[in-house]
Amino acid sequence: MTKTVHFLTAAAAAAALSACSAEPDTDRTDLETATTDGEAAALAGALEPGDFMDLQLGAKIVGPQGDEVTGTLANAEGNFADIRSFVACPAGMDVCDPKTAPKGTVYTYVHVVYPGEDNKEDTGSGDGNDSSDIEQATAFKMLRPAHGFTGAVGYSKAEAMAAIGPKADVVITCLDGALIWSVNPGTAGDQWEQAEPLTFYWQSTLPPAGPAPVYAIDANYTEAKGPGPYPEATAGYEAGCNAPSTAR
């Protein structure tokens, strides 16, 4: 049985429809956001993003916390975002068990990030536990290499348009083997901010070894870290997204 995974709200769907005729923003140069030679080189090789809504996913891996892992992206100042993650097998796989999955199975790592909170008192940051109102979140990123990366990566474009506007710009780069989703302000000044969830994904030929504190959000001019499913390094896959890939 094929399962289609989606998180679209009515607002996101409306934004997606209204933005279909929007012209691309030719005035923005992504390299203008680079502050170092390394960042400029990464932006010059930005990865082509896929749309989460186009994915056809199968069953999710079920671990000790169930088929989804929730956590908080935080630092010494407090909680800056909630994160909900899962890892899914390809469409047609009704059971996703790395122990029995065929060799070469591609695993899709999905992370839903809620700046500030997800409006649920009993999960993540929760009501009343926010460090501050998130006025601007500028990136979701990995802090370690994306082991086994296939070259397939993306985000929910409808959610980005709902949060940032019809000219939403999310640039995906690879730096030191780790993936970075840079969320740039819209042309009308709209930004990724408080309680606006965005779904990010990347694909790997390696299954998760368990949750690890390797994900982060840049928000309100600070970095906040937290856990999510992460694959263990395997010989030949240590380079992460720096490794050559036939999927690109």
Side-chain angles (χ1 to χ4, degrees):
M1 178 177 62
T2 300
K3 302 179 182 177
T4 302
V5 180
H6 57 87
F7 291 98
L8 266 184
T9 62
L17 292 174
S18 65
C20 287
S21 59
E23 294 296 327
D25 183 4
T26 56
D27 294 330
R28 179 183 296 122
T29 301
D30 297 331
L31 294 178
E32 291 177 355
T33 66
T35 58
T36 67
D37 290 343
E39 290 177 353
L43 284 168
L47 303 175
E48 184 67 27
D51 191 344
F52 179 70
M53 295 305 297
D54 291 337
L55 295 180
Q56 298 291 320
L57 301 180
K60 303 173 184 176
I61 292 178
V62 179
Q65 299 185 39
D67 60 6
E68 295 186 351
V69 177
T70 58
T72 299
L73 302 177
N75 58 27
E77 297 179 26
N79 299 331
F80 280 76
D82 284 356
I83 181 171
R84 177 166 56 86
S85 306
F86 65 86
V87 181
C89 281
M93 294 184 66
D94 294 330
V95 175
C96 189
D97 184 351
K99 295 180 180 178
T100 59
K103 184 177 180 180
T105 295
V106 173
Y107 300 93
T108 301
Y109 289 70
V110 180
H111 312 281
V112 188
V113 181
Y114 301 78
E117 61 181 320
D118 65 354
N119 298 317
K120 296 181 181 179
E121 295 183 0
D122 58 348
T123 63
S125 300
D127 187 29
N129 292 317
D130 305 321
S131 60
S132 61
D133 181 48
I134 304 303
E135 297 179 354
Q136 181 180 18
T138 56
F140 173 66
K141 58 190 180 182
M142 299 180 69
L143 303 175
R144 298 182 197 169
H147 300 309
F149 182 55
T150 66
V153 61
Y155 60 97
S156 171
K157 296 183 178 181
E159 288 177 348
M161 285 188 288
I164 309 168
K167 294 187 178 181
D169 185 19
V170 179
V171 180
I172 305 173
T173 55
C174 176
L175 186 62
D176 296 329
L179 292 164
I180 303 171
W181 292 258
S182 297
V183 182
N184 298 321
T187 54
D190 292 330
Q191 304 176 80
W192 183 28
E193 55 191 349
Q194 183 81 8
E196 292 179 337
L198 285 185
T199 301
F200 306 92
Y201 77 88
W202 61 286
Q203 293 184 332
S204 172
T205 54
L206 299 176
V214 301
Y215 298 97
I217 188 173
D218 288 339
N220 287 5
Y221 305 101
T222 190
E223 179 184 85
K225 308 174 184 178
Y230 182 68
E232 186 176 2
T234 301
Y237 294 96
E238 300 92 342
C241 52
N242 285 332
S245 172
T246 58
R248 293 182 194 170

